[in-house]
Amino acid sequence: ANGCIGNEMTYSIDVYPRPIGSATTPNPICSEETFIAPLNSNLSITTLYTWTATNITGTASGFSDNNTKTSGPISQTLTNTGGINATVRYTVTPYSDLPSGLFCAGNTFTFDVVVKPIPTVSVTPDLTICIGNNTTLTASGASTYSWDSGQATNQINVSPNNNTTYIVTGTTNGCSNTASVVVTVDNPTAPTGLACYQIATFNPATCL
């Protein structure tokens, strides 16, 4: 006041950049598998992230939001609860972790995770045959099949000498499931084989 000039004052203002984030989109997964999505930032300083997750196509479960700033990657186990591919979209916000304890938020970015259903594989019910006879086992519900006995068709013919469990793996669109069938072998020389002995000449393939 009154024409008097005071001393100069100097202020220092630190300007920090906002992060530009991105994600490495994971490959499609099968139901009940775990994906890992690495998160990337253009900054050399630490970048933290929050995210929301939304089921945008099909039906899926296992996804969740994260409101606590954390470093990547994002990793969750997802389950397809329908019969078609499901898509879960993650919307991620990056934050630069500043020395002052403050955070600068960058623009959000998204990535999608495709969750494929696993096939429902069915197989012939458990059955009993007479020793020396054979039977056909049939699997269904998938595109391709692989039996633990080595065959790669949906139907196989078997003639075990002992009680045997057969396991088939069915695969559709890269996702697999299994089913099993127990073939019990009835020996007519044993007391429990009497039924086989009595009906063998009439129906040699199946025991009553």
Side-chain angles (χ1 to χ4, degrees):
N2 301 322
C4 295
I5 299 175
N7 296 328
E8 291 184 355
M9 300 182 66
T10 303
Y11 296 92
S12 176
I13 299 176
D14 294 325
V15 180
Y16 293 98
R18 295 181 183 273
I20 299 175
S22 64
T24 302
T25 300
N27 293 325
I29 63 172
C30 296
S31 181
E32 300 179 10
E33 289 185 344
T34 301
F35 76 88
I36 299 177
L39 301 178
N40 315 300
S41 171
N42 67 319
L43 300 182
S44 58
I45 61 175
T46 300
T47 302
L48 303 177
Y49 306 87
T50 61
W51 64 81
T52 60
T54 306
N55 188 178
I56 60 172
T57 65
T59 54
S61 63
F63 55 89
S64 61
D65 300 341
N66 174 53
N67 297 316
T68 302
K69 298 177 181 66
T70 184
S71 59
I74 298 176
S75 179
Q76 295 184 339
T77 301
L78 305 180
T79 299
N80 186 308
T81 56
I84 61 173
N85 286 356
T87 302
V88 178
R89 174 162 295 170
Y90 289 82
T91 301
V92 186
T93 303
Y95 299 86
S96 54
D97 188 3
L98 306 179
S100 60
L102 300 177
F103 298 92
C104 285
N107 292 329
T108 61
F109 60 92
T110 64
F111 68 92
D112 294 344
V113 181
V114 176
V115 188
K116 300 182 291 184
I118 57 175
T120 300
V121 180
S122 301
V123 69
T124 302
D126 295 348
L127 72 159
T128 300
I129 65 171
C130 298
I131 191 168
N133 292 338
N134 58 52
T135 189
T136 299
L137 305 179
T138 303
S140 61
S143 299
T144 61
Y145 302 89
S146 175
W147 296 82
D148 62 346
S149 51
Q151 299 93 327
T153 59
N154 73 311
Q155 284 190 334
I156 62 172
N157 190 270
V158 298
S159 181
N161 293 320
N162 302 294
N163 298 345
T164 304
T165 299
Y166 294 89
I167 300 174
V168 60
T169 301
T171 302
T172 299
N173 198 21
C175 298
S176 300
N177 203 354
T178 62
S180 63
V181 52
V182 177
V183 179
T184 301
V185 179
D186 202 354
N187 189 338
T189 62
T192 56
L194 183 60
C196 277
Y197 179 80
Q198 291 175 331
I199 69 168
T201 57
F202 301 99
N203 187 1
T206 305
C207 293
L208 296 178

